[in-house]
Amino acid sequence: MKEIDQLLKAYANEKLSHAYLFEGDDLETMIETAEAFAMNILCQDNDQCKTKIEARNHPDFHYVKTDETTIKKERIEQLVHHMNQLPIESDYKVYIIQDFERLTVQGENSILKFLEEPPSNTIAILISSKPEQILDTIHSRCQHVYFKPMHRHTFIERLVAHEEVSKPVAELLSTYTTQFEEARQLNEEYDLTQLRKQLLQWCERLLKQREMALIGIVELLKHAKNRRLQLLALAGINAYFQDMMYVKSGMTSRITFSELQSYYESRAQQLSYRHLTYIIEQITEAHKKLNQNVNPTLVFEQIAIKVKG
């Protein structure tokens, strides 16, 4: 059963919660579901009412989002003020907060107080792709709705179609995130084409010229110059060897770097499952160390040295 069907069933059975927390990495689907749910609660079959919600000018519907890094306390206080008023055109009032994890601590506390004593017939829909960053006390006051992860190929197609990202770069980004905003920001701020070129060369050196892989770390880190790009690089390197595993297993539809399929097919036969598994294990360990703030040069050196061994 799809998420929206579960929510509509709860509405039909008069079992609405006062607060829902939508969790997942497919932000677009969560937003669409939240708006459809709000329309059902406020409008039923009234098309004029639905049009007002789409245009964000329904008096009983409020949608909060920001392009900044945080949602300020003042916006939340303004929202709470509106929600404490009686409905004007509907029986309910509904508010949606997109990227809820962006609330400041003060903003979260304001919402928490509101969730503890919500006005009657007021429904909150909180959307988050990073629920681990939200206060536990807010989690405990919401009904959780979990969304399935976005399929990687769907993410790549949407990036290419709507965000004007090249397919090779979109494939790389898909190894690291399925958040459109984060992917768009990375693509705009950095030369990911060159980073992709360097990490693929480095992977090839690991297999063919392992001594050169150690030397190549300097050039790789020139393009992976901060922690986010280093984690992206590791994710891409991991995908490269996962691709080898998929090709070796006959699951070519699952590979990430699609234009390398012919190369994978010729190279994978020369590598055992055990060797590929060992390489992937070393990359996983490197990822942990990088998250623990170990020097990135040492992290990549350890991969080259251990893979060689």
Side-chain angles (χ1 to χ4, degrees):
M1 183 181 293
K2 290 184 177 181
E3 295 83 2
I4 186 62
D5 294 332
Q6 295 174 338
L7 294 165
L8 294 181
K9 183 178 180 181
Y11 173 78
N13 294 332
E14 299 183 349
K15 293 183 179 180
L16 284 176
S17 172
H18 72 283
Y20 295 87
L21 178 56
F22 286 12
E23 302 179 31
D25 62 3
D26 190 347
L27 185 61
E28 187 174 320
T29 297
M30 290 193 290
I31 291 170
E32 290 174 355
T33 302
E35 291 181 342
F37 189 36
M39 286 180 185
N40 189 79
I41 294 170
L42 297 175
C43 305
Q44 288 79 52
D45 297 321
N46 187 326
D47 291 336
Q48 185 178 4
C49 171
K50 292 179 180 179
T51 299
K52 287 183 177 181
I53 289 179
E54 288 176 348
R56 305 281 197 267
N57 63 4
H58 193 294
D60 300 323
F61 175 75
H62 292 270
Y63 195 105
V64 176
K65 63 172 289 189
T66 185
D67 293 326
E68 300 178 5
T69 55
T70 59
I71 300 174
K72 302 295 190 295
K73 177 185 177 183
E74 292 74 23
R75 290 198 65 187
I76 299 304
E77 289 178 339
Q78 184 181 31
L79 172 69
V80 170
H81 173 73
H82 285 301
M83 289 299 110
N84 274 313
Q85 298 172 4
L86 293 173
I88 297 174
E89 295 185 6
S90 305
D91 295 328
Y92 289 89
K93 293 181 76 70
V94 177
Y95 64 98
I96 298 172
I97 303 179
Q98 181 183 321
D99 301 314
F100 188 80
E101 70 278 357
R102 294 192 184 193
L103 263 68
T104 61
V105 174
Q106 296 85 350
E108 277 196 280
N109 286 329
S110 295
I111 285 291
L112 178 58
K113 293 177 183 178
F114 191 59
L115 293 177
E116 288 173 341
E117 298 179 7
S120 59
N121 290 10
T122 299
I123 311 296
I125 304 175
L126 316 178
I127 301 174
S128 178
S129 58
K130 298 176 181 177
E132 70 279 1
Q133 297 181 13
I134 298 173
L135 292 172
D136 290 341
T137 44
I138 289 178
H139 277 276
S140 65
R141 285 165 175 77
C142 296
Q143 180 173 323
H144 293 246
V145 182
Y146 301 98
F147 286 73
K148 294 179 180 179
M150 182 188 299
H151 193 281
R152 185 172 53 80
H153 290 302
T154 301
F155 176 71
I156 292 169
E157 289 172 2
R158 291 185 188 177
L159 267 185
V160 173
H162 302 297
E163 306 298 339
E164 297 183 350
V165 177
S166 68
K167 186 178 180 182
V169 168
E171 289 174 341
L172 172 61
L173 285 165
S174 74
T175 68
Y176 177 68
T177 183
T178 50
Q179 294 298 309
F180 288 105
E181 184 176 343
E182 185 173 21
R184 182 172 56 249
Q185 183 186 53
L186 283 165
N187 184 59
E188 289 175 353
E189 292 182 5
Y190 305 107
D191 186 350
L192 299 186
T193 299
Q194 280 301 313
L195 175 60
R196 182 181 183 277
K197 178 181 178 181
Q198 288 298 322
L199 72 86
L200 291 179
Q201 285 180 352
W202 196 73
C203 290
E204 190 171 359
R205 286 173 176 173
L206 275 179
L207 296 175
K208 292 184 177 180
Q209 298 172 297
R210 293 167 187 170
E211 292 79 9
M212 294 301 296
L214 280 167
I215 299 172
I217 291 170
V218 174
E219 187 64 26
L220 177 61
L221 292 180
K222 283 182 182 178
H223 297 275
K225 54 190 175 183
N226 58 40
R227 190 54 49 92
R228 289 174 74 197
L229 293 178
Q230 290 152 11
L231 289 170
L232 172 58
L234 275 181
I237 292 165
N238 186 74
Y240 177 95
F241 290 103
Q242 286 282 5
D243 282 355
M244 290 274 196
M245 189 75 82
Y246 289 141
V247 168
K248 196 170 180 64
S249 304
M251 296 186 289
T252 55
S253 63
R254 300 184 66 177
I255 66 174
T256 299
F257 300 119
S258 56
E259 86 281 11
L260 296 180
Q261 181 173 337
S262 296
Y263 169 77
Y264 289 146
E265 288 173 350
S266 62
R267 192 75 181 89
Q269 303 310 315
Q270 302 169 28
L271 299 167
S272 66
Y273 284 111
R274 182 176 180 179
H275 189 187
L276 285 169
T277 301
Y278 176 74
I279 293 172
I280 292 169
E281 286 174 352
Q282 300 312 309
I283 297 167
T284 301
E285 187 63 27
H287 190 278
K288 293 177 183 177
K289 290 179 179 178
L290 198 56
N291 277 323
Q292 295 167 355
N293 295 319
V294 175
N295 182 286
T297 300
L298 294 176
V299 169
F300 283 89
E301 283 179 352
Q302 285 297 304
I303 297 176
I305 291 169
K306 289 188 176 182
V307 169
K308 181 181 177 181

